[in-house]
Amino acid sequence: MALGTMTWGGDTDAEEAASQLVAFVDAGGTLVDTADIYGEGESERVLGSLLGDLVPREDVVLATKAVAKRTDGPFGGGASRGALLGALDGSLRRLGTDHIDLWQLHAWDGCVPLAETLSALEYAVTSGKVRYVGVSNYAGWQLATAAAGAAAAAPIVSTQVEYSLLERGVDREVVPAAEHHGIGLLPWAPLGRGVLTGKYRTGTPADSRGANSAYAGYVEHHRTDRAARIVQAVATAADGLGTSPLAVALAWVRDRPGVVAPVVGARDTGQLTGSLAAEAITLPPAIRSALDDVSAIEVGYPERWPR
């Protein structure tokens, strides 16, 4: 598992963030993911304040993102060389480190020549400020184009995409493209934005994201009739295995072809501990097959040609 920090510096205060980071590292976790846009930089600041004194910097694979953050000025956002390198310096400053282990392009920018964007990634790596580079939220053709055009010194090593039993659209083209180019998958929202935990089966808990006006729309995206059928199948599997729906959903996505580490966020340390416990779960082939079937999406021409 990877530790997601989208709410750090906002709904998750520094004290709770510290507790989560310690629990994650103590459980053997290493990859911690943030972005310059999370909390307008507050997530990076909180994480940076915890590295060194609380958790040794060298014990963490530190990942962050650029492109989506917008500020005033001629280089205020996007994937241009000026915007990217300015964003990189800002992330390094907020994180209090001299290098980032995995620097990711948060989104495709069709207004900037791809060669310019990739040249900025190459400079970031060859300068020593970044160790590896990846992308996030890229379509299959975008991922393949970037991978083919990347410099040998800075190949695209990862792609972070929404991927869960409720969101399998990436199976059409992103997953095959990643497999072809040897790129690892980092699924975000592996619990279907919380819906796969089963907490919304009978309503909206008062302490859930679905009850928060800032996140209600985010959760509602997956509250559909199809989702309800999948959640029921996950709950049935969890009952049979004597575990939680959360653990079943995470184990399913963890073991998908090409997946490196699902990115899990948590409201509190107890919730995070529950997610980390999924590492101990192994899904029997029959249950995995049943979950594959109930969550299957239509994949036809040309993705599966010839049949």
Side-chain angles (χ1 to χ4, degrees), residues 145-165:
T145 303
I156 306 298
V157 303
S158 67
T159 181
Q160 190 170 151
V161 289
E162 183 173 5
Y163 195 16
S164 72
L165 280 161

Side-chain angles (χ1 to χ4, degrees), residues 47-306:
L47 177 55
S49 71
L50 302 177
L51 296 177
D53 294 334
L54 188 66
V55 171
R57 169 66 179 88
E58 59 270 21
D59 288 353
V60 169
V61 178
L62 184 58
T64 192
K65 312 177 195 75
V67 174
K69 186 178 177 66
R70 300 284 172 171
T71 58
D72 293 334
F75 302 112
S80 70
R81 184 180 180 89
L84 283 175
L85 297 183
L88 175 57
D89 288 340
S91 288
L92 289 169
R93 183 173 60 253
R94 288 186 292 272
L95 289 164
T97 185
D98 63 356
H99 73 278
I100 290 164
D101 297 305
L102 177 62
W103 193 41
Q104 303 154 98
L105 301 176
H106 211 157
W108 176 269
D109 188 346
C111 296
V112 177
L114 180 60
E116 178 180 342
T117 298
L118 295 177
S119 72
L121 299 186
E122 182 181 14
Y123 172 78
V125 173
T126 57
S127 69
K129 294 181 178 181
V130 167
R131 299 293 189 257
Y132 298 94
V133 293
V135 298
S136 181
N137 302 310
Y138 271 35
W141 72 267
Q142 294 167 342
L143 177 63
T145 303
I156 306 298
V157 303
S158 67
T159 181
Q160 190 170 151
V161 289
E162 183 173 5
Y163 195 16
S164 72
L165 280 161
L166 300 186
E167 181 53 81
R168 295 188 58 185
V170 295
D171 280 329
R172 293 188 177 94
E173 292 192 350
V174 174
V175 172
E179 181 181 16
H180 179 76
H181 289 282
I183 294 169
L185 296 168
L186 298 173
W188 62 263
L191 292 173
R193 310 187 184 192
V195 174
L196 285 166
T197 64
K199 70 174 70 175
Y200 298 106
R201 293 174 71 190
T202 59
T204 303
D207 62 347
S208 69
R209 284 186 176 179
N212 184 320
S213 60
Y215 293 105
Y218 175 81
V219 174
E220 284 295 325
H221 177 75
H222 285 318
R223 296 182 73 175
T224 64
D225 290 341
R226 172 181 177 271
R229 291 191 296 271
I230 296 171
V231 172
Q232 179 59 51
V234 170
T236 299
D239 288 342
L241 295 173
T243 186
S244 67
L246 177 152
V248 170
L250 280 179
W252 181 88
V253 74
R254 178 200 65 199
D255 296 336
R256 295 294 292 173
V259 168
V260 176
V263 182
V264 294
R267 181 179 64 252
D268 52 42
T269 305
Q271 193 177 71
L272 175 62
T273 302
S275 294
L276 296 177
E279 285 286 7
I281 301 298
T282 299
L283 296 182
I287 288 181
R288 175 168 294 282
S289 179
L291 293 175
D292 289 348
D293 289 345
V294 74
S295 66
I297 58 171
E298 184 176 350
V299 179
Y301 177 86
E303 295 93 347
R304 293 293 181 266
W305 176 265

Side-chain angles (χ1 to χ4, degrees), residues 12-81:
T12 304
D13 61 26
E15 183 177 356
E16 175 57 36
S19 177
Q20 289 187 21
L21 183 61
V22 169
F24 178 71
V25 173
D26 285 350
T30 56
L31 177 58
V32 183
D33 180 71
T34 185
D36 61 357
I37 198 174
Y38 295 166
E40 292 298 317
E42 283 304 307
S43 174
E44 288 184 328
R45 290 189 186 93
V46 170
L47 177 55
S49 71
L50 302 177
L51 296 177
D53 294 334
L54 188 66
V55 171
R57 169 66 179 88
E58 59 270 21
D59 288 353
V60 169
V61 178
L62 184 58
T64 192
K65 312 177 195 75
V67 174
K69 186 178 177 66
R70 300 284 172 171
T71 58
D72 293 334
F75 302 112
S80 70
R81 184 180 180 89

